[in-house]
Amino acid sequence: MNVQQHPVLIVGAGPSGMTLALQLARYNVPLRIIDKHAEPLQLSKAAAIHARTLEIFADLGVIDTFLAEGQQVDILALRTRYKDRLRLDFSRLKHTPYPFMLDLPQYRTEYILMKKLEEINIPVERGVQLVGMQQNADAVEARLRHADGREEQVSVSWLIGADGAKSTVRTLAGIDFVGEAYADDWVLCDAKISWPLPRNEMTFSGDREGIFGVFPLPGENTYRMAYTQTRDRAGRLVEPDREDAQHSLERTGIDGKVLAAEQFWTFNLAHRQVTDSRQGRIFLIGDAAHIHTPFGGQGMNLGIADAYNLGWKLAYVFHGDAHDGLLDSYQRERASVIKGVIRTTHLGVTAMLMKEGRQAAARDLLMQAVGSSYILPKFLTFSFSQLAHHYRHSPIVKGHALRLQAGDRAPDQRFFDGITQSYQHLFELIKGTQHTLLLFIGEKQNQRAALLQLLTESARRYPGILDIRVIGTSYQRPDWLPEDVQYWSDRGRDLSLYHQFGITTAYLVRPDKYLGFIQPNPGWSELDHYLQQILTGSTR
Ligand SMILES: Cc1cc2nc3c(=O)[nH]c(=O)nc-3n(C[C@H](O)[C@H](O)[C@H](O)COP(=O)(O)OP(=O)(O)OC[C@H]3O[C@@H](n4cnc5c(N)ncnc54)[C@H](O)[C@@H]3O)c2cc1C
């Protein structure tokens, strides 16, 4: 057996594990990422990539490949008993560069992430399985089994279980996975279908026999079918084939024809969440930490967001820029988001599975009422896109201004910058791996000395951790700004979500693009106090 020292071992090269690897690599954290399968699997599980995930992919530098390859989908149509009841229009999403869903088979998502990792010399080690694990105060000792049967002992500072719903890491750590299984079995198949609905629309239909989902994928006539497995008159499950798929497709009430369907995959569903996603030096992300129904296509997106939340924190602790306590916020922030998703997806599937009777009639009326409301469909799309997920109750966020609260995802807005004479996205100002201090300076400038102190001390005390951007409405760069501070001019007052115009407001955007700290009339001591608290866990 070999004994090696690596700071991070990621177990599992699915979307969650590879996202974390990419994020840690941006901070130069040495890592290994292993997967028990010798080759990537060609399973097409997740189809829908949501707006928030696309924002993360943009930050990771892979967005162009996704946009070039994926199928843009604007509408999620929920149908019951052969009628449209509720249409959610993602093109109405605001404050994101990606107001849509992007459909792509999961194996292509994994391929793109894997290629990006290879590009930066972090190959996934395939055919390597975690089979044992023990931790002490200083390290996790992991036992890995290679495809040829050879065993290797490694000692790492942190071990990440990104090893899916049947997580070995979770089992070895003895962490409970609480929830329950659903009675229905499901079928999944990528098929060629003659389908009359527009290609920018995915449908989810419920009827007397169960649910049938049709999701457009890239390629002519190519769709994902996901449906509750048919039972025969005796209640036995029917082995899926093309004929069964055609019969099941008729559940939608839409005149479609299955042209070709080869590989069917059947699976059970459950909703479960871990009691702890951190145990000392061990973390769980993605399906290893939570599973639920595919309603709304949330699972893979959630796992990617877990990785994006944990990545910067782990990197800061590795480099000694933050105290270990920062890592506790991963569990605190993600657990409530996940709980909400499990609740919504459970409700969604339960409602869609109401087959007949008064309950089903009431559901149909309710869906129609929601559909005709102005605000509720917007709320639902905001929620499904995962743009609504927030950490407002996190112990490491503080403050509010206008309608933004610390713990919210930083929303994007477009503005015309009078300095470069070009349209800019706020996201351009905050991209990268550091914290960004956005300082929106008020029009009546009567606290110049305090702002100067804030700017100079921030740059001096937090180099490499904090980037500073100043935004004002004056077309001229204020002459009192230190030379090395960048200035943008929003004369059109487009950045209305952030700018109070009358008074100066500071927003500290975290590396995962959530608002960590907000303060109107900001001062250096408050910002310093906040950063000390989250980074060192102290208030020295
Ligand atoms: C039918 C279906 C449809 C879905 N549709 C959607 C959708 O539209 N949108 C969406 O967001 N989500 C969807 N999901 C959920 C999505 O597929 C999962 O949430 C996603 O795969 C989770 O990614 P992960 O990286 O956490 O885990 P996984 O993708 O399960 O990856 C885990 C990896 O760990 C490896 N591994 C396991 N054990 C070990 C070990 N001991 N040692 C080394 N490696 C190990 C495995 O080989 C695997 O590669 C769907 C799921 C299903 C089942």
Side-chain angles (χ1 to χ4, degrees):
M1 285 190 186
N2 297 324
V3 178
Q4 299 176 336
Q5 274 288 348
H6 293 277
V8 178
L9 174 68
I10 300 174
V11 181
S16 311
M18 286 196 282
T19 301
L20 182 62
L22 280 173
Q23 182 66 336
L24 289 175
R26 296 168 83 204
Y27 291 92
N28 296 318
V29 177
L31 61 94
R32 286 179 73 179
I33 175 166
I34 60 166
D35 200 286
K36 68 178 179 186
H37 286 116
E39 298 291 335
L41 299 183
Q42 295 298 301
L43 290 178
S44 172
K45 294 191 285 181
I49 306 175
H50 283 290
R52 173 62 186 155
T53 306
L54 295 172
E55 292 179 359
I56 295 173
F57 286 165
D59 195 44
L60 294 177
V62 288
I63 188 66
D64 291 344
T65 323
F66 277 96
L67 294 180
E69 210 176 302
Q71 168 73 42
Q72 184 174 322
V73 173
D74 301 310
I75 307 287
L76 169 59
L78 297 176
R79 295 166 56 82
T80 56
R81 301 197 286 181
Y82 313 119
K83 284 198 179 129
D84 275 350
R85 305 285 175 184
L86 176 57
R87 286 169 66 80
L88 301 178
D89 184 351
F90 287 73
S91 71
R92 290 170 66 194
L93 281 172
K94 284 187 174 165
H95 311 312
T96 175
Y98 311 106
F100 47 82
M101 291 173 276
L102 196 76
D103 276 10
L104 193 65
Q106 183 168 327
Y107 63 84
R108 289 305 302 171
T109 294
E110 292 180 10
Y111 181 82
I112 295 169
L113 298 176
M114 184 184 80
K115 283 286 153 198
K116 182 72 184 174
L117 279 172
E118 281 173 12
E119 223 176 274
I120 54 172
N121 287 325
I122 304 184
V124 172
E125 297 177 45
R126 296 210 165 267
V128 184
Q129 183 175 6
L130 176 92
V131 289
M133 179 187 84
Q134 260 190 334
Q135 68 171 318
N136 55 45
D138 304 317
V140 185
E141 311 294 335
R143 195 152 52 85
L144 311 182
R145 185 170 299 144
H146 290 253
D148 58 7
R150 178 171 53 96
E151 289 211 345
E152 179 191 4
Q153 186 84 21
V154 294
S155 177
V156 294
S157 303
W158 291 282
L159 186 143
I160 316 297
D163 51 344
K166 294 182 179 152
S167 170
T168 308
V169 175
R170 188 185 64 230
T171 308
L172 291 172
I175 297 174
D176 288 336
F177 203 30
V178 181
E180 48 191 49
Y182 290 94
D184 292 282
D185 289 280
W186 285 67
V187 178
L188 197 72
C189 175
D190 288 354
K192 295 278 181 195
I193 310 179
S194 160
W195 186 243
L197 293 191
R199 289 278 289 161
N200 72 336
E201 183 168 331
M202 65 165 69
T203 51
F204 212 57
S205 310
D207 82 323
R208 253 176 270 141
E209 285 183 65
I211 294 180
F212 200 99
V214 181
F215 314 124
L217 290 176
E220 200 182 348
N221 291 331
T222 309
Y223 293 86
R224 146 78 53 81
M225 304 186 292
Y227 57 98
T228 40
Q229 197 168 357
T230 317
R231 288 183 184 272
D232 64 18
R233 282 178 203 281
R236 287 178 305 239
L237 290 170
V238 172
E239 199 53 39
D241 58 14
R242 186 169 145 189
E243 193 187 331
D244 169 62
Q246 180 63 45
H247 161 78
S248 304
L249 181 71
E250 283 152 24
R251 292 177 194 171
T252 60
I254 293 168
D255 196 14
K257 187 166 168 40
V258 179
L259 305 173
E262 275 151 34
Q263 274 197 317
F264 291 86
W265 184 42
T266 55
F267 58 98
N268 308 107
L269 285 181
H271 61 85
R272 297 187 195 283
Q273 182 173 8
V274 284
T275 46
D276 297 291
S277 51
R278 175 181 192 187
Q279 187 190 75
R281 297 180 164 275
I282 296 165
F283 292 86
L284 296 171
I285 62 172
D287 276 18
H290 42 78
I291 51 168
H292 48 77
T293 78
F295 184 75
Q298 300 288 295
M300 179 183 76
N301 293 273
L302 264 191
I304 287 170
D306 288 349
Y308 200 53
N309 181 298
L310 179 60
W312 70 272
K313 296 172 182 172
L314 204 51
Y316 272 40
V317 174
F318 167 75
H319 287 298
D321 290 328
H323 181 259
D324 177 88
L326 178 65
L327 295 171
D328 286 334
S329 66
Y330 162 67
Q331 147 105 354
R332 291 283 293 273
E333 294 185 340
R334 294 302 296 161
S336 60
V337 166
I338 288 152
K339 204 168 167 191
V341 170
I342 290 178
R343 196 173 42 230
T344 317
T345 51
H346 175 67
L347 269 175
V349 155
T350 310
M352 295 296 284
L353 279 171
M354 288 171 181
K355 290 174 183 160
E356 276 182 297
R358 282 167 44 187
Q359 276 190 333
R363 173 217 42 210
D364 294 349
L365 283 175
L366 184 67
M367 284 171 77
Q368 270 168 287
V370 170
S372 54
S373 126
Y374 176 71
I375 198 78
L376 291 174
K378 277 187 169 181
F379 171 79
L380 287 172
T381 45
F382 193 44
S383 173
F384 279 132
S385 66
Q386 303 197 352
L387 298 174
H389 291 175
H390 67 80
Y391 309 140
R392 286 182 182 178
H393 306 297
S394 164
I396 61 159
V397 303
K398 192 175 174 201
H400 61 91
L402 296 168
R403 284 159 57 198
L404 292 176
Q405 286 195 33
D408 289 347
R409 157 196 157 270
D412 188 33
Q413 285 196 295
R414 198 174 85 125
F415 68 105
F416 190 83
D417 172 34
I419 302 296
T420 56
Q421 300 291 347
S422 60
Y423 284 103
Q424 302 274 343
H425 277 268
L426 184 100
F427 273 15
E428 284 301 305
L429 275 59
I430 61 175
K431 71 178 183 195
T433 52
Q434 72 299 324
H435 278 77
T436 309
L437 179 67
L438 295 174
L439 195 63
F440 287 86
I441 49 176
E443 281 155 1
K444 288 191 204 73
Q445 210 29 263
N446 48 12
Q447 43 163 191
R448 223 172 261 188
L451 290 182
L452 264 175
Q453 186 196 20
L454 176 71
L455 293 171
T456 45
E457 288 298 311
S458 304
R460 191 177 69 80
R461 293 285 298 278
Y462 297 102
I465 287 193
L466 200 61
D467 274 0
I468 301 166
R469 316 269 186 247
V470 175
I471 303 110
T473 48
S474 161
Y475 63 92
Q476 271 177 331
R477 180 191 166 85
D479 54 9
W480 53 270
L481 274 186
E483 256 177 33
D484 53 349
V485 171
Q486 296 186 56
Y487 175 76
W488 279 262
S489 162
D490 174 28
R491 252 168 78 75
R493 297 168 175 240
D494 294 321
L495 296 173
S496 54
L497 291 175
Y498 294 86
H499 212 150
Q500 309 211 54
F501 304 112
I503 48 173
T504 298
T505 312
Y507 297 84
L508 187 67
V509 184
R510 309 186 331 185
D512 60 0
K513 315 310 171 206
Y514 273 76
L515 298 167
F517 174 77
I518 303 178
Q519 196 190 20
N521 293 318
W524 161 243
S525 62
E526 290 87 350
L527 177 68
D528 187 36
H529 180 82
Y530 169 77
L531 283 167
Q532 294 283 352
Q533 262 188 331
I534 68 152
L535 298 180
T536 65
S538 76
T539 53
R540 79 187 141 92

